[in-house]
């Protein structure tokens, strides 16, 4: 098996109450919030690694430790074998800019910029000349099916189209890793499925590593090469869909599959030996 592109080793993120909050709360409430607790995992090049868990289980915190937007309280994050904690702030920023794209639930587009200039933003920051970055941005917009709205502004577009812009903006710099936090969760079911299909199509064209946070197990099953289940800051189970379905580690894991049609994976039961998580 290839080397991991991202590795977490014993990562904790504990939030301590601020002085003001500690003053007003009773001592038993003044414990740190253990947003992440002893999380170790490896993510491999080209996989869609999906993180699932209830609200507050630490999914967003986990995603943001991967590019050191949230530095862990303890433990190590390795990106292509380099420990992020050993980089300077400038090196970390450069690494994010060159290698790691991010897409948010809230789209987070620049309202005062045209769609084209939103998509070209990362190239502009990297110092690319206007004509070239516009050409690349146009090509990327065409790939996400927005070839004809380049000169419009984000507020003129539907939510689904805005998220296509968000995706194009993240992908235009050709990052090796794409981090997506509930990126499709705000969209209507039909548009959401279209965006899932688009992501899968883009993956088929040029494979990159995607880390995708969602609440929704149907989405996780549709997209995930492997799925990681988070509970109260801890990683409960990581594995291919069929491994989780056929051998859920705990009732919490099983709970995520209730009401979800898993027949497609259950038929693959005889192959679980091959697909067991490492
Ligand atoms: N800046 C912060 N200060 C204090 N506590 C925080 C902070 N950020 C997150 N937390 C807490 O850490 C825990 C994990 O939060 P996180 O946002 O990672 O969960 P999540 O799984 O992404 O939840 P959701 O599904 O609601 O987005 C929660 O208890 C949250 O309240
Ligand atoms: Mg979150």
């Amino acid at each position: 098996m290839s080397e991991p592109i991202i590795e977490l080793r014993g990562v904790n993120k504990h939030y301590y109450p601020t002085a003001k909050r500690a003053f007003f709360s009773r001592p038993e409430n003044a414990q740190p919030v253990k947003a992440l607790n002893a999380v170790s995992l490896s993510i491999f090049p080209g996989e869609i690694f999906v993180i699932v868990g209830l609200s507050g289980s630490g999914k967003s915190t986990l995603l943001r430790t991967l590019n050191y937007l949230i530095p862990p309280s303890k433990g190590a994050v390795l990106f292509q074998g380099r420990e992020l904690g050993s980089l300077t702030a400038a090196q970390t920023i450069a690494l994010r800019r060159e290698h790691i794209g991010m897409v948010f639930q809230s789209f987070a587009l620049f309202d005062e910029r045209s769609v084209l200039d939103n998509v070209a933003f990362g190239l502009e920051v990297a110092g690319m000349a206007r004509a070239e970055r516009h050409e690349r941005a146009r090509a990327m917009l065409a790939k996400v099916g927005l070839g004809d709205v380049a000169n419009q502004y984000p507020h003129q577009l539907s939510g689904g189209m805005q998220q296509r812009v968000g995706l194009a903006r993240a992908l235009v710099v050709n990052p090796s890793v794409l981090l997506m936090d509930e990126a499709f969760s705000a969209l209507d079911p039909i548009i959401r499925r279209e965006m899932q299909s688009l992501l899968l199509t883009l993956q088929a064209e040029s494979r990159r590593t995607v880390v995708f946070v969602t609440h929704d197990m149907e989405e996780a099953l549709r997209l995930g090469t492997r799925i990681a289940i988070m509970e109260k800051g801890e990683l409960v189970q990581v594995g291919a869909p069929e491994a989780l379905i056929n051998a859920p580690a705990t009732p919490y894991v099983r709970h995520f599959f209730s009401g979800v049609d898993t027949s497609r994976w259950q038929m693959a039961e005889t192959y679980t030996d091959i697909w067991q998580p490492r």
Side-chain angles (χ1 to χ4, degrees):
M1 190 167 235
S2 57
E3 291 292 306
I5 185 164
I6 301 175
E7 211 184 328
L8 257 58
R9 293 187 185 157
V11 164
N12 284 4
K13 179 67 195 180
H14 294 180
Y15 290 107
Y16 290 88
T18 60
K20 196 173 158 195
R21 277 165 74 191
F23 179 80
F24 285 111
S25 55
R26 294 196 303 269
E28 66 267 27
N29 294 333
Q31 297 300 314
V33 175
K34 297 182 175 179
L36 294 177
N37 214 18
V39 175
S40 295
L41 56 83
S42 295
I43 298 172
F44 294 93
E47 71 173 334
I48 302 186
F49 187 90
V50 180
I51 301 168
V52 177
L54 295 179
S55 187
S57 60
K59 304 180 296 297
S60 296
T61 306
L62 176 57
L63 194 75
R64 282 151 189 264
T65 59
L66 302 182
N67 63 354
Y68 241 63
L69 276 179
I70 297 181
S73 318
K74 193 179 151 197
V77 181
L78 286 86
F79 187 88
Q80 292 174 336
R82 292 163 88 194
E83 194 180 333
L84 297 189
S86 70
L87 304 185
T88 63
Q91 286 173 324
T92 307
I93 290 167
L95 180 129
R96 272 185 214 134
R97 203 178 273 162
E98 287 166 30
H99 297 290
I100 309 175
M102 208 161 182
V103 184
F104 305 91
Q105 178 173 4
S106 58
F107 315 143
L109 301 176
F110 305 112
D111 294 332
E112 73 289 359
R113 285 176 158 249
S114 69
V115 165
L116 188 67
D117 279 324
N118 263 281
V119 175
F121 179 73
L123 302 173
E124 188 177 337
V125 172
M128 187 181 284
R130 193 164 187 269
E132 192 184 353
R133 67 176 191 256
H134 277 179
E135 191 185 318
R136 287 233 212 146
R138 275 184 210 286
M140 196 64 236
L141 277 169
K143 275 197 183 184
V144 300
L146 290 182
D148 46 3
V149 300
N151 297 322
Q152 296 197 27
Y153 285 80
H155 73 267
Q156 296 174 288
L157 307 182
S158 68
M161 289 165 93
Q162 288 189 40
Q163 196 54 304
R164 282 171 194 256
V165 177
L167 196 54
R169 184 179 60 180
L171 290 178
V172 79
V173 296
N174 197 23
S176 34
V177 173
L178 189 61
L179 305 180
M180 304 181 73
D181 194 349
E182 306 267 7
F184 305 152
S185 303
L187 305 173
D188 313 340
I190 292 172
I191 306 294
R192 185 171 185 166
R193 275 192 75 81
E194 277 177 23
M195 292 301 288
Q196 293 164 1
S197 302
L198 173 64
L199 181 65
L200 291 171
T201 304
L202 294 170
Q203 273 299 92
E205 280 170 17
S206 63
R207 253 194 131 61
R208 65 188 84 234
T209 311
V210 179
V211 188
F212 192 102
V213 165
T214 182
H215 277 93
D216 177 16
M217 189 50 87
E218 306 223 19
E219 185 165 67
L221 289 174
R222 181 138 190 251
L223 298 177
T225 316
R226 287 191 301 152
I227 299 171
I229 311 279
M230 295 288 300
E231 181 182 17
K232 295 178 186 158
E234 303 200 355
L235 197 57
V236 188
Q237 192 171 9
V238 184
E242 44 275 61
L244 267 59
I245 288 165
N246 293 312
T250 68
Y252 178 84
V253 176
R254 195 177 314 120
H255 158 83
F256 276 98
F257 293 100
S258 63
V260 178
D261 178 13
T262 57
S263 50
R264 187 181 138 200
W265 286 272
Q266 277 163 350
M267 286 191 293
E269 194 161 18
T270 46
Y271 300 111
T272 48
D273 287 351
I274 303 167
W275 290 99
Q276 280 299 328
R278 291 158 11 99

